[in-house]
Amino acid sequence: MSGDGSDATGATDASGPTPPPAPRSVRRSLASIVLGFELIVVFLAALVLWGLAVDGETPFDLPRWAILVAGGICIVLMVATIGLLRFPWAYGLGWAVQALILLSGLLNPAMFFVGALFGGIWAYAMITGARIDRDKAAFDAAGKETP
């Protein structure tokens, strides 16, 4: 018996062939791309902030290792968000990640720029991706109505 659900005679199982998976939404793809690039930038920014920090002279008198821990938490949160984008509520988590990155500007003012830049890219991706998905769904629905 082969692994595709058919036996040696070519007949398929009662369950039949599996349907192709639903196409991935443009919004989800754009969100994954933005978070992926942001993940790289946050990783590098955490390393830079850690390298520039001197014990006792860090913002809020944090130890140097706290900067790496905060960067690691942001990175884990972004990776988790990418994996959870199949759920609608994960886009809200993506907005929370953008706010967290913007707030990291309290540790280093340059992060305000990074957070604002990626927040703008995220907003554009969410708005444009949703519009493209709506237009695509409307086009597909119109194509099914005409014989």
Side-chain angles (χ1 to χ4, degrees):
M1 179 177 248
S2 65
D4 64 356
S6 62
D7 59 15
T9 62
T12 59
D13 293 341
S15 62
T18 58
R24 192 170 185 187
S25 77
V26 174
R27 182 179 180 209
R28 181 176 172 188
S29 296
L30 290 175
S32 297
I33 292 167
V34 171
L35 287 171
F37 280 118
E38 191 172 16
L39 189 141
I40 294 167
V41 171
V42 167
F43 172 73
L44 294 174
L47 288 178
V48 167
L49 293 175
W50 174 74
L52 292 175
V54 177
D55 277 334
E57 296 179 17
T58 58
F60 309 110
D61 294 325
L62 295 171
R64 286 182 69 204
W65 58 265
I67 295 171
L68 287 180
V69 170
I73 290 170
C74 288
I75 289 168
V76 168
L77 188 59
M78 283 187 273
V79 169
T81 303
I82 291 170
L84 293 170
L85 284 173
R86 64 183 173 266
F87 303 109
W89 54 266
Y91 295 98
L93 183 59
W95 282 107
V97 167
Q98 302 310 313
L100 183 64
I101 302 302
L102 188 61
L103 286 174
S104 70
L106 296 173
L107 296 175
N108 186 323
M111 291 303 290
F112 282 127
F113 175 74
V114 171
L117 180 68
F118 275 104
I121 294 170
W122 177 264
Y124 179 77
M126 293 300 95
I127 293 166
T128 304
R131 181 181 48 84
I132 291 171
D133 287 338
R134 275 193 315 271
D135 292 347
K136 185 177 175 185
F139 180 78
D140 290 344
K144 290 179 183 177
E145 292 174 3
T146 58

